mmCIF file of all heavy atoms in Angstrom:
data_model
loop_
_atom_site.group_PDB
_atom_site.id
_atom_site.type_symbol
_atom_site.label_atom_id
_atom_site.label_comp_id
_atom_site.label_asym_id
_atom_site.label_seq_id
_atom_site.Cartn_x
_atom_site.Cartn_y
_atom_site.Cartn_z
ATOM 1 N N LYS A 1 3.006 -7.100 5.780
ATOM 2 C CA LYS A 1 2.394 -5.798 5.469
ATOM 3 C C LYS A 1 2.018 -5.792 3.969
ATOM 4 O O LYS A 1 1.004 -5.222 3.539
ATOM 5 C CB LYS A 1 3.267 -4.623 5.835
ATOM 6 C CG LYS A 1 3.403 -4.423 7.314
ATOM 7 C CD LYS A 1 4.281 -3.189 7.621
ATOM 8 C CE LYS A 1 4.522 -3.018 9.180
ATOM 9 N NZ LYS A 1 5.353 -1.872 9.541
ATOM 10 N N VAL A 2 2.938 -6.317 3.146
ATOM 11 C CA VAL A 2 2.660 -6.487 1.693
ATOM 12 C C VAL A 2 1.462 -7.309 1.422
ATOM 13 O O VAL A 2 0.637 -6.946 0.559
ATOM 14 C CB VAL A 2 3.942 -7.056 1.031
ATOM 15 C CG1 VAL A 2 3.638 -7.249 -0.479
ATOM 16 C CG2 VAL A 2 5.077 -6.054 1.080
ATOM 17 N N LYS A 3 1.422 -8.428 2.193
ATOM 18 C CA LYS A 3 0.170 -9.312 2.027
ATOM 19 C C LYS A 3 -1.117 -8.648 2.382
ATOM 20 O O LYS A 3 -2.146 -8.765 1.809
ATOM 21 C CB LYS A 3 0.364 -10.587 2.897
ATOM 22 C CG LYS A 3 1.480 -11.442 2.375
ATOM 23 C CD LYS A 3 1.702 -12.633 3.291
ATOM 24 C CE LYS A 3 2.897 -13.450 2.861
ATOM 25 N NZ LYS A 3 3.340 -14.435 3.871
ATOM 26 N N VAL A 4 -1.071 -7.744 3.404
ATOM 27 C CA VAL A 4 -2.231 -6.997 3.823
ATOM 28 C C VAL A 4 -2.710 -6.012 2.687
ATOM 29 O O VAL A 4 -3.849 -5.929 2.396
ATOM 30 C CB VAL A 4 -1.971 -6.171 5.113
ATOM 31 C CG1 VAL A 4 -3.103 -5.140 5.352
ATOM 32 C CG2 VAL A 4 -1.867 -7.146 6.288
ATOM 33 N N ILE A 5 -1.702 -5.325 2.033
ATOM 34 C CA ILE A 5 -2.025 -4.434 0.897
ATOM 35 C C ILE A 5 -2.591 -5.141 -0.198
ATOM 36 O O ILE A 5 -3.580 -4.768 -0.845
ATOM 37 C CB ILE A 5 -0.714 -3.621 0.521
ATOM 38 C CG1 ILE A 5 -0.266 -2.734 1.643
ATOM 39 C CG2 ILE A 5 -1.038 -2.882 -0.762
ATOM 40 C CD1 ILE A 5 -1.214 -1.606 2.037
ATOM 41 N N GLU A 6 -2.026 -6.411 -0.480
ATOM 42 C CA GLU A 6 -2.610 -7.297 -1.521
ATOM 43 C C GLU A 6 -4.013 -7.732 -1.331
ATOM 44 O O GLU A 6 -4.860 -7.824 -2.191
ATOM 45 C CB GLU A 6 -1.684 -8.453 -1.772
ATOM 46 C CG GLU A 6 -0.418 -8.042 -2.428
ATOM 47 C CD GLU A 6 0.684 -9.180 -2.493
ATOM 48 O OE1 GLU A 6 0.467 -10.252 -1.793
ATOM 49 O OE2 GLU A 6 1.696 -9.021 -3.210
ATOM 50 N N ALA A 7 -4.300 -7.988 0.020
ATOM 51 C CA ALA A 7 -5.699 -8.312 0.453
ATOM 52 C C ALA A 7 -6.671 -7.163 0.292
ATOM 53 O O ALA A 7 -7.767 -7.362 -0.194
ATOM 54 C CB ALA A 7 -5.689 -8.820 1.896
ATOM 55 N N LEU A 8 -6.189 -5.963 0.690
ATOM 56 C CA LEU A 8 -6.980 -4.793 0.548
ATOM 57 C C LEU A 8 -7.248 -4.485 -0.952
ATOM 58 O O LEU A 8 -8.273 -3.874 -1.304
ATOM 59 C CB LEU A 8 -6.366 -3.621 1.254
ATOM 60 C CG LEU A 8 -6.267 -3.634 2.706
ATOM 61 C CD1 LEU A 8 -5.324 -2.462 3.270
ATOM 62 C CD2 LEU A 8 -7.631 -3.457 3.279
ATOM 63 N N GLU A 9 -6.343 -4.883 -1.817
ATOM 64 C CA GLU A 9 -6.408 -4.645 -3.252
ATOM 65 C C GLU A 9 -7.718 -5.196 -3.839
ATOM 66 O O GLU A 9 -8.320 -4.652 -4.716
ATOM 67 C CB GLU A 9 -5.217 -5.243 -3.957
ATOM 68 C CG GLU A 9 -4.983 -4.786 -5.394
ATOM 69 C CD GLU A 9 -4.222 -3.526 -5.480
ATOM 70 O OE1 GLU A 9 -3.407 -3.209 -4.664
ATOM 71 O OE2 GLU A 9 -4.537 -2.781 -6.419
ATOM 72 N N LYS A 10 -8.082 -6.368 -3.232
ATOM 73 C CA LYS A 10 -9.302 -7.066 -3.706
ATOM 74 C C LYS A 10 -10.638 -6.360 -3.365
ATOM 75 O O LYS A 10 -11.695 -6.612 -3.903
ATOM 76 C CB LYS A 10 -9.305 -8.441 -3.141
ATOM 77 C CG LYS A 10 -8.130 -9.342 -3.756
ATOM 78 C CD LYS A 10 -7.976 -10.626 -2.939
ATOM 79 C CE LYS A 10 -6.796 -11.401 -3.350
ATOM 80 N NZ LYS A 10 -6.558 -12.619 -2.600
ATOM 81 N N GLU A 11 -10.521 -5.433 -2.378
ATOM 82 C CA GLU A 11 -11.664 -4.744 -1.865
ATOM 83 C C GLU A 11 -11.978 -3.502 -2.665
ATOM 84 O O GLU A 11 -13.056 -2.899 -2.550
ATOM 85 C CB GLU A 11 -11.544 -4.345 -0.412
ATOM 86 C CG GLU A 11 -11.396 -5.462 0.525
ATOM 87 C CD GLU A 11 -11.227 -5.074 2.022
ATOM 88 O OE1 GLU A 11 -11.750 -3.926 2.337
ATOM 89 O OE2 GLU A 11 -10.639 -5.846 2.758
ATOM 90 N N LYS A 12 -11.045 -3.051 -3.437
ATOM 91 C CA LYS A 12 -11.233 -1.663 -4.201
ATOM 92 C C LYS A 12 -11.755 -1.891 -5.632
ATOM 93 O O LYS A 12 -11.478 -2.873 -6.202
ATOM 94 C CB LYS A 12 -9.938 -0.839 -4.110
ATOM 95 C CG LYS A 12 -8.832 -1.444 -5.018
ATOM 96 C CD LYS A 12 -7.619 -0.513 -4.920
ATOM 97 C CE LYS A 12 -6.533 -0.950 -5.800
ATOM 98 N NZ LYS A 12 -6.709 -0.749 -7.227
ATOM 99 N N ALA A 13 -12.482 -0.878 -6.102
ATOM 100 C CA ALA A 13 -12.818 -0.927 -7.524
ATOM 101 C C ALA A 13 -11.646 -0.621 -8.421
ATOM 102 O O ALA A 13 -10.634 -0.120 -7.960
ATOM 103 C CB ALA A 13 -13.941 0.157 -7.665
ATOM 104 N N PRO A 14 -11.749 -0.953 -9.749
ATOM 105 C CA PRO A 14 -10.544 -0.797 -10.624
ATOM 106 C C PRO A 14 -10.053 0.564 -10.710
ATOM 107 O O PRO A 14 -8.865 0.844 -10.856
ATOM 108 C CB PRO A 14 -11.103 -1.205 -11.968
ATOM 109 C CG PRO A 14 -12.260 -2.078 -11.693
ATOM 110 C CD PRO A 14 -12.884 -1.654 -10.426
ATOM 111 N N ASN A 15 -10.897 1.653 -10.552
ATOM 112 C CA ASN A 15 -10.449 3.011 -10.595
ATOM 113 C C ASN A 15 -10.014 3.646 -9.300
ATOM 114 O O ASN A 15 -9.657 4.848 -9.249
ATOM 115 C CB ASN A 15 -11.527 3.907 -11.342
ATOM 116 C CG ASN A 15 -12.832 3.953 -10.543
ATOM 117 O OD1 ASN A 15 -13.121 2.997 -9.823
ATOM 118 N ND2 ASN A 15 -13.558 5.064 -10.550
ATOM 119 N N GLU A 16 -10.145 2.843 -8.164
ATOM 120 C CA GLU A 16 -9.771 3.405 -6.859
ATOM 121 C C GLU A 16 -8.273 2.988 -6.568
ATOM 122 O O GLU A 16 -7.715 2.068 -7.155
ATOM 123 C CB GLU A 16 -10.696 2.775 -5.836
ATOM 124 C CG GLU A 16 -12.120 3.223 -5.934
ATOM 125 C CD GLU A 16 -13.071 2.602 -4.879
ATOM 126 O OE1 GLU A 16 -12.763 1.455 -4.428
ATOM 127 O OE2 GLU A 16 -14.002 3.253 -4.588
ATOM 128 N N LYS A 17 -7.714 3.716 -5.611
ATOM 129 C CA LYS A 17 -6.293 3.470 -5.261
ATOM 130 C C LYS A 17 -6.146 3.273 -3.781
ATOM 131 O O LYS A 17 -6.843 3.829 -3.007
ATOM 132 C CB LYS A 17 -5.468 4.746 -5.750
ATOM 133 C CG LYS A 17 -5.547 5.149 -7.162
ATOM 134 C CD LYS A 17 -4.943 4.014 -8.108
ATOM 135 C CE LYS A 17 -5.108 4.453 -9.523
ATOM 136 N NZ LYS A 17 -4.737 3.358 -10.431
ATOM 137 N N ILE A 18 -5.007 2.458 -3.505
ATOM 138 C CA ILE A 18 -4.684 2.262 -2.063
ATOM 139 C C ILE A 18 -3.402 3.078 -1.796
ATOM 140 O O ILE A 18 -2.454 3.094 -2.556
ATOM 141 C CB ILE A 18 -4.360 0.745 -1.828
ATOM 142 C CG1 ILE A 18 -5.586 -0.091 -1.992
ATOM 143 C CG2 ILE A 18 -3.824 0.543 -0.464
ATOM 144 C CD1 ILE A 18 -5.405 -1.595 -1.725
ATOM 145 N N VAL A 19 -3.462 3.851 -0.682
ATOM 146 C CA VAL A 19 -2.362 4.663 -0.152
ATOM 147 C C VAL A 19 -1.780 3.967 1.033
ATOM 148 O O VAL A 19 -2.537 3.671 1.983
ATOM 149 C CB VAL A 19 -2.809 6.085 0.010
ATOM 150 C CG1 VAL A 19 -1.644 6.964 0.549
ATOM 151 C CG2 VAL A 19 -3.480 6.719 -1.255
ATOM 152 N N PHE A 20 -0.468 3.815 1.037
ATOM 153 C CA PHE A 20 0.135 3.378 2.262
ATOM 154 C C PHE A 20 1.099 4.550 2.724
ATOM 155 O O PHE A 20 1.834 5.127 2.049
ATOM 156 C CB PHE A 20 1.054 2.135 2.023
ATOM 157 C CG PHE A 20 1.772 1.724 3.284
ATOM 158 C CD1 PHE A 20 1.138 0.983 4.230
ATOM 159 C CD2 PHE A 20 3.116 2.035 3.604
ATOM 160 C CE1 PHE A 20 1.786 0.595 5.452
ATOM 161 C CE2 PHE A 20 3.698 1.731 4.694
ATOM 162 C CZ PHE A 20 3.122 0.985 5.624
ATOM 163 N N VAL A 21 0.955 4.818 4.109
ATOM 164 C CA VAL A 21 1.747 5.894 4.692
ATOM 165 C C VAL A 21 2.689 5.209 5.693
ATOM 166 O O VAL A 21 2.228 4.596 6.709
ATOM 167 C CB VAL A 21 0.834 6.931 5.361
ATOM 168 C CG1 VAL A 21 1.715 8.140 5.746
ATOM 169 C CG2 VAL A 21 -0.273 7.332 4.391
ATOM 170 N N GLY A 22 4.044 5.430 5.532
ATOM 171 C CA GLY A 22 5.000 4.846 6.433
ATOM 172 C C GLY A 22 6.175 5.746 6.578
ATOM 173 O O GLY A 22 6.172 6.910 6.106
ATOM 174 N N ASP A 23 7.313 5.190 7.174
ATOM 175 C CA ASP A 23 8.501 6.073 7.398
ATOM 176 C C ASP A 23 9.364 6.084 6.215
ATOM 177 O O ASP A 23 10.448 6.820 6.271
ATOM 178 C CB ASP A 23 9.157 5.710 8.750
ATOM 179 C CG ASP A 23 9.671 4.250 8.692
ATOM 180 O OD1 ASP A 23 9.703 3.634 7.623
ATOM 181 O OD2 ASP A 23 10.022 3.752 9.747
ATOM 182 N N GLY A 24 9.200 5.280 5.283
ATOM 183 C CA GLY A 24 10.005 5.292 4.038
ATOM 184 C C GLY A 24 11.301 4.530 4.092
ATOM 185 O O GLY A 24 11.999 4.332 3.081
ATOM 186 N N ILE A 25 11.701 3.987 5.259
ATOM 187 C CA ILE A 25 12.902 3.278 5.404
ATOM 188 C C ILE A 25 12.578 1.849 5.682
ATOM 189 O O ILE A 25 12.844 0.918 4.944
ATOM 190 C CB ILE A 25 13.819 3.883 6.483
ATOM 191 C CG1 ILE A 25 14.045 5.395 6.198
ATOM 192 C CG2 ILE A 25 15.127 3.123 6.609
ATOM 193 C CD1 ILE A 25 14.468 6.137 7.372
ATOM 194 N N ASN A 26 11.977 1.564 6.829
ATOM 195 C CA ASN A 26 11.618 0.170 7.184
ATOM 196 C C ASN A 26 10.457 -0.381 6.407
ATOM 197 O O ASN A 26 10.286 -1.590 6.281
ATOM 198 C CB ASN A 26 11.198 0.099 8.700
ATOM 199 C CG ASN A 26 12.273 0.594 9.615
ATOM 200 O OD1 ASN A 26 13.432 0.444 9.382
ATOM 201 N ND2 ASN A 26 11.894 1.289 10.670
ATOM 202 N N ASP A 27 9.692 0.450 5.700
ATOM 203 C CA ASP A 27 8.509 0.120 5.018
ATOM 204 C C ASP A 27 8.691 0.066 3.515
ATOM 205 O O ASP A 27 7.720 0.223 2.709
ATOM 206 C CB ASP A 27 7.344 1.023 5.307
ATOM 207 C CG ASP A 27 6.930 0.898 6.798
ATOM 208 O OD1 ASP A 27 6.830 -0.300 7.326
ATOM 209 O OD2 ASP A 27 6.782 1.943 7.428
ATOM 210 N N ALA A 28 9.924 -0.017 3.024
ATOM 211 C CA ALA A 28 10.219 0.065 1.556
ATOM 212 C C ALA A 28 9.458 -0.933 0.720
ATOM 213 O O ALA A 28 8.812 -0.545 -0.339
ATOM 214 C CB ALA A 28 11.767 -0.094 1.391
ATOM 215 N N PRO A 29 9.326 -2.231 1.061
ATOM 216 C CA PRO A 29 8.489 -3.132 0.310
ATOM 217 C C PRO A 29 7.053 -2.757 0.130
ATOM 218 O O PRO A 29 6.509 -2.775 -1.010
ATOM 219 C CB PRO A 29 8.647 -4.486 1.046
ATOM 220 C CG PRO A 29 9.782 -4.380 1.891
ATOM 221 C CD PRO A 29 9.811 -2.909 2.274
ATOM 222 N N VAL A 30 6.389 -2.311 1.243
ATOM 223 C CA VAL A 30 5.007 -2.088 1.209
ATOM 224 C C VAL A 30 4.661 -0.702 0.600
ATOM 225 O O VAL A 30 3.734 -0.504 -0.216
ATOM 226 C CB VAL A 30 4.364 -2.109 2.575
ATOM 227 C CG1 VAL A 30 4.859 -1.142 3.525
ATOM 228 C CG2 VAL A 30 2.820 -2.153 2.539
ATOM 229 N N LEU A 31 5.689 0.186 0.621
ATOM 230 C CA LEU A 31 5.576 1.504 -0.065
ATOM 231 C C LEU A 31 5.576 1.225 -1.573
ATOM 232 O O LEU A 31 4.916 1.971 -2.268
ATOM 233 C CB LEU A 31 6.753 2.385 0.320
ATOM 234 C CG LEU A 31 6.636 3.199 1.665
ATOM 235 C CD1 LEU A 31 7.900 3.856 2.058
ATOM 236 C CD2 LEU A 31 5.543 4.269 1.592
ATOM 237 N N ALA A 32 6.407 0.313 -1.990
ATOM 238 C CA ALA A 32 6.490 0.023 -3.441
ATOM 239 C C ALA A 32 5.286 -0.749 -3.942
ATOM 240 O O ALA A 32 4.893 -0.547 -5.011
ATOM 241 C CB ALA A 32 7.740 -0.828 -3.662
ATOM 242 N N ARG A 33 4.659 -1.551 -2.998
ATOM 243 C CA ARG A 33 3.545 -2.352 -3.519
ATOM 244 C C ARG A 33 2.212 -1.579 -3.525
ATOM 245 O O ARG A 33 1.375 -1.838 -4.430
ATOM 246 C CB ARG A 33 3.377 -3.504 -2.488
ATOM 247 C CG ARG A 33 2.250 -4.440 -2.830
ATOM 248 C CD ARG A 33 2.414 -5.144 -4.131
ATOM 249 N NE ARG A 33 1.289 -5.913 -4.550
ATOM 250 C CZ ARG A 33 0.186 -5.489 -5.191
ATOM 251 N NH1 ARG A 33 0.125 -4.179 -5.493
ATOM 252 N NH2 ARG A 33 -0.828 -6.236 -5.608
ATOM 253 N N ALA A 34 1.991 -0.627 -2.747
ATOM 254 C CA ALA A 34 0.803 0.228 -2.730
ATOM 255 C C ALA A 34 0.730 1.021 -4.003
ATOM 256 O O ALA A 34 1.763 1.265 -4.620
ATOM 257 C CB ALA A 34 0.765 1.101 -1.529
ATOM 258 N N ASP A 35 -0.452 1.456 -4.347
ATOM 259 C CA ASP A 35 -0.590 2.343 -5.568
ATOM 260 C C ASP A 35 0.131 3.609 -5.366
ATOM 261 O O ASP A 35 0.720 4.126 -6.338
ATOM 262 C CB ASP A 35 -2.111 2.568 -5.824
ATOM 263 C CG ASP A 35 -2.839 1.329 -6.102
ATOM 264 O OD1 ASP A 35 -2.405 0.511 -6.988
ATOM 265 O OD2 ASP A 35 -4.014 1.126 -5.630
ATOM 266 N N VAL A 36 0.058 4.140 -4.127
ATOM 267 C CA VAL A 36 0.823 5.377 -3.820
ATOM 268 C C VAL A 36 1.466 5.124 -2.522
ATOM 269 O O VAL A 36 0.757 4.922 -1.480
ATOM 270 C CB VAL A 36 -0.158 6.588 -3.714
ATOM 271 C CG1 VAL A 36 0.704 7.886 -3.452
ATOM 272 C CG2 VAL A 36 -1.014 6.810 -5.013
ATOM 273 N N GLY A 37 2.783 5.206 -2.482
ATOM 274 C CA GLY A 37 3.564 5.064 -1.242
ATOM 275 C C GLY A 37 3.935 6.394 -0.692
ATOM 276 O O GLY A 37 4.538 7.222 -1.451
ATOM 277 N N VAL A 38 3.459 6.750 0.471
ATOM 278 C CA VAL A 38 3.804 8.025 1.079
ATOM 279 C C VAL A 38 4.681 7.875 2.199
ATOM 280 O O VAL A 38 4.457 7.118 3.237
ATOM 281 C CB VAL A 38 2.460 8.649 1.647
ATOM 282 C CG1 VAL A 38 2.711 10.113 2.189
ATOM 283 C CG2 VAL A 38 1.447 8.886 0.457
ATOM 284 N N ALA A 39 5.903 8.587 2.208
ATOM 285 C CA ALA A 39 6.836 8.541 3.307
ATOM 286 C C ALA A 39 6.633 9.822 4.110
ATOM 287 O O ALA A 39 6.648 10.922 3.628
ATOM 288 C CB ALA A 39 8.227 8.500 2.779
ATOM 289 N N MET A 40 6.509 9.578 5.459
ATOM 290 C CA MET A 40 6.317 10.721 6.311
ATOM 291 C C MET A 40 7.511 11.069 7.105
ATOM 292 O O MET A 40 8.453 10.203 7.335
ATOM 293 C CB MET A 40 5.269 10.416 7.330
ATOM 294 C CG MET A 40 3.815 10.648 6.682
ATOM 295 S SD MET A 40 2.600 10.890 7.913
ATOM 296 C CE MET A 40 3.378 11.944 9.185
ATOM 297 N N GLY A 41 7.735 12.241 7.652
ATOM 298 C CA GLY A 41 8.822 12.696 8.444
ATOM 299 C C GLY A 41 10.174 12.491 7.757
ATOM 300 O O GLY A 41 11.146 12.030 8.336
#
């Protein structure tokens, strides 16, 4: 999942941001890697 976020990083402009939305527990590495990590529930 972290590698996917890194791949998506190449598609965005410098002033744009990637948001990852997960459960905050199992997705800790990818929440930390995204520009904005959103934990739901």
Side-chain angles (χ1 to χ4, degrees):
K1 291 181 183 180
V2 174
K3 289 173 186 171
V4 167
I5 295 298
E6 287 172 348
L8 290 170
E9 194 85 32
K10 294 170 186 172
E11 297 180 26
K12 70 178 182 71
N15 61 329
E16 294 179 334
K17 302 295 178 189
I18 293 177
V19 177
F20 177 82
V21 190
D23 61 13
I25 304 162
N26 302 325
D27 297 312
V30 67
L31 280 168
R33 179 63 187 84
D35 296 316
V36 184
V38 181
M40 278 199 44

